[in-house]
């Protein structure tokens, strides 16, 4: 079957463990974060012809409350967004006006700037290499913690919007005014695993991915962050 609109098989994979109302997601490649998986499910359910009532669901992230309280208490000194040009190549979703979409639109404008500087016959070659362009952005208020309150409030609000979801193909690092450093993945309960692709193929071993999911579920149970 064809992949859902705006998605392509093998550029990304997601593995999901479901127990009751709890969902554990392991993503690979350009499919990052629970919201990406949620959008994929909605598109898949819609193409499957499910009724609206059968399609109704939502994901709520389980947070590290200590990290979230630190962010709320100390406020934001600096936002650092690290990523590449790759995600901006995908088609925009006109119904999505969130932070993720705004970042991709900004990257798209930078792509256009780069394309305008080379001949049209080289555009295709350039497009194949967007993933080799690093895009690092730092947003910080002039004057630090002594900046105008509205400036600090704006930065705090943006950080709060971004912290629950890693931007596509990017990493978010927040430095607080109290000196703490928080990554977006620190607030949402998460873990990074290393695995290998099958020989001469572009997919992951499903049994190994299941093992990673099961091991992290056990860890969450020990942390009393998983209902049994």
């Amino acid at each position: 079957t064809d992949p859902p609109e705006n998605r392509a098989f093998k550029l990304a994979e997601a593995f999901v463990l479901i127990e009751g109302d709890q969902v554990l997601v392991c993503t690979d490649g350009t499919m990052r974060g629970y919201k990406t998986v949620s959008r994929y499910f909605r598109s898949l359910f819609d193409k499957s012809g499910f009724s609206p009532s059968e399609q109704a669901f939502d994901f709520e992230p389980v947070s590290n409350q200590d990290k979230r309280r630190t962010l709320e208490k100390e406020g934001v000194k600096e936002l650092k967004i690290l990523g590449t040009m790759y995600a901006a190549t995908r088609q925009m979703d006109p119904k999505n006006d969130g932070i993720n979409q705004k970042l991709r639109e900004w990257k798209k404008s930078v792509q256009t700037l780069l394309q305008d500087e080379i001949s049209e016959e080289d555009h295709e070659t350039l497009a194949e290499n967007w993933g080799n362009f690093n895009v690092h952005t730092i947003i910080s208020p002039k004057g630090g913690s002594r900046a105008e309150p509205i400036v600090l409030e704006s930065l705090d609000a943006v950080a709060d919007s971004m912290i629950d979801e890693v931007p596509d193909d990017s990493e978010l690092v927040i430095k607080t005014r109290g000196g703490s450093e928080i990554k977006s993945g620190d607030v949402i309960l998460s873990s990074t695993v290393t695995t290998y692709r099958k020989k001469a193929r572009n997919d992951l071993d499903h049994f190994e991915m299941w093992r990673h999911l099961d091991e992290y579920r056990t860890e969450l149970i020990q942390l009393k962050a998983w209902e049994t």
Side-chain angles (χ1 to χ4, degrees), residues 21-25 33-35 38 58-65 68 160-166 184-190 220 225:
D21 292 333
Q22 298 175 106
V23 179
L24 187 58
V25 173
Y34 69 94
K35 289 185 181 178
S38 177
D58 202 2
F59 287 160
E60 291 294 335
V62 178
S63 298
N64 180 325
Q65 293 301 316
R68 183 172 287 282
D160 186 63
S161 297
M162 297 178 69
I163 198 68
D164 281 341
E165 174 80 352
V166 180
S184 48
D186 292 341
V187 174
I188 299 299
L189 291 182
S190 62
L220 291 174

Side-chain angles (χ1 to χ4, degrees), residues 38-54:
S38 177
R39 289 194 294 270
Y40 189 92
F41 278 174
R42 292 185 197 283
S43 181
L44 192 64
F45 293 167
D46 185 55
K47 290 181 182 296
S48 299
F50 290 178
S51 68
S53 61
E54 291 174 318

Side-chain angles (χ1 to χ4, degrees), residues 14 28-29 44-45 48 52 67 69 79 110 117 126 149 158 163 167 179-180 191-192 196 198 213 227:
D28 167 67
L44 192 64
F45 293 167
S48 299
K67 293 283 188 179
R69 280 191 289 268
L79 280 180
V110 178
E117 298 303 315
L126 180 64
V158 170
I163 198 68
S180 303
S191 177
T192 301
Y196 298 95
K198 292 179 179 178
L213 285 168
E227 296 177 12

Side-chain angles (χ1 to χ4, degrees):
T1 183
D2 291 333
E5 188 178 0
N6 303 333
R7 294 286 181 259
F9 290 141
K10 299 305 178 187
L11 290 180
E13 290 186 275
F15 301 85
V16 182
L17 185 157
I18 301 174
E19 184 175 16
D21 292 333
Q22 298 175 106
V23 179
L24 187 58
V25 173
C26 185
T27 59
D28 167 67
T30 57
M31 183 175 284
R32 301 187 62 182
Y34 69 94
K35 289 185 181 178
T36 309
V37 176
S38 177
R39 289 194 294 270
Y40 189 92
F41 278 174
R42 292 185 197 283
S43 181
L44 192 64
F45 293 167
D46 185 55
K47 290 181 182 296
S48 299
F50 290 178
S51 68
S53 61
E54 291 174 318
Q55 293 186 42
F57 76 96
D58 202 2
F59 287 160
E60 291 294 335
V62 178
S63 298
N64 180 325
Q65 293 301 316
D66 290 338
K67 293 283 188 179
R68 183 172 287 282
R69 280 191 289 268
T70 297
L71 182 59
E72 293 171 352
K73 179 182 177 181
E74 298 184 2
V76 180
K77 177 182 178 182
E78 176 184 285
L79 280 180
K80 184 183 296 183
I81 305 167
L82 313 173
T84 73
M85 285 287 189
Y86 181 78
T89 62
R90 301 206 307 275
Q91 183 177 338
M92 301 291 184
D93 182 355
K95 294 178 287 187
N96 184 1
D97 60 354
I99 290 288
N100 219 332
Q101 185 82 346
K102 290 181 174 66
L103 283 174
R104 288 176 58 198
E105 289 171 355
W106 173 73
K107 287 184 182 181
K108 194 72 176 177
S109 67
V110 178
Q111 284 184 341
T112 301
L113 177 67
L114 293 168
Q115 283 181 324
D116 288 346
E117 298 303 315
I118 64 172
S119 61
E120 191 168 337
E121 55 265 26
D122 289 331
H123 283 189
E124 185 174 346
T125 301
L126 180 64
E128 294 171 355
N129 288 277
W130 285 131
N132 293 323
F133 282 95
N134 291 320
V135 182
H136 294 179
T137 304
I138 296 177
I139 306 172
S140 60
K142 185 177 181 179
S145 59
R146 295 186 300 277
E148 290 290 332
I150 188 62
V151 174
L152 298 176
E153 290 170 13
S154 175
L155 197 57
D156 289 347
V158 170
D160 186 63
S161 297
M162 297 178 69
I163 198 68
D164 281 341
E165 174 80 352
V166 180
D168 284 350
D169 196 33
S170 300
E171 179 184 9
L172 174 69
V173 180
I174 299 173
K175 288 186 178 179
T176 72
R177 297 195 283 275
S180 303
E181 184 173 283
I182 299 173
K183 295 181 180 180
S184 48
D186 292 341
V187 174
I188 299 299
L189 291 182
S190 62
S191 177
T192 301
V193 297
T194 301
T195 188
Y196 298 95
R197 302 193 179 279
K198 292 179 179 178
K199 187 175 182 180
R201 293 178 59 175
N202 195 33
D203 52 350
L204 300 170
D205 187 298
H206 291 192
F207 291 105
E208 184 178 2
M209 300 311 295
W210 172 257
R211 178 176 61 81
H212 286 311
L213 285 168
D214 195 42
E215 288 176 351
Y216 191 52
R217 173 184 172 276
T218 300
E219 183 179 335
L220 291 174
I221 290 173
Q222 294 171 347
L223 294 172
K224 302 188 184 306
W226 187 273
E227 296 177 12
T228 56

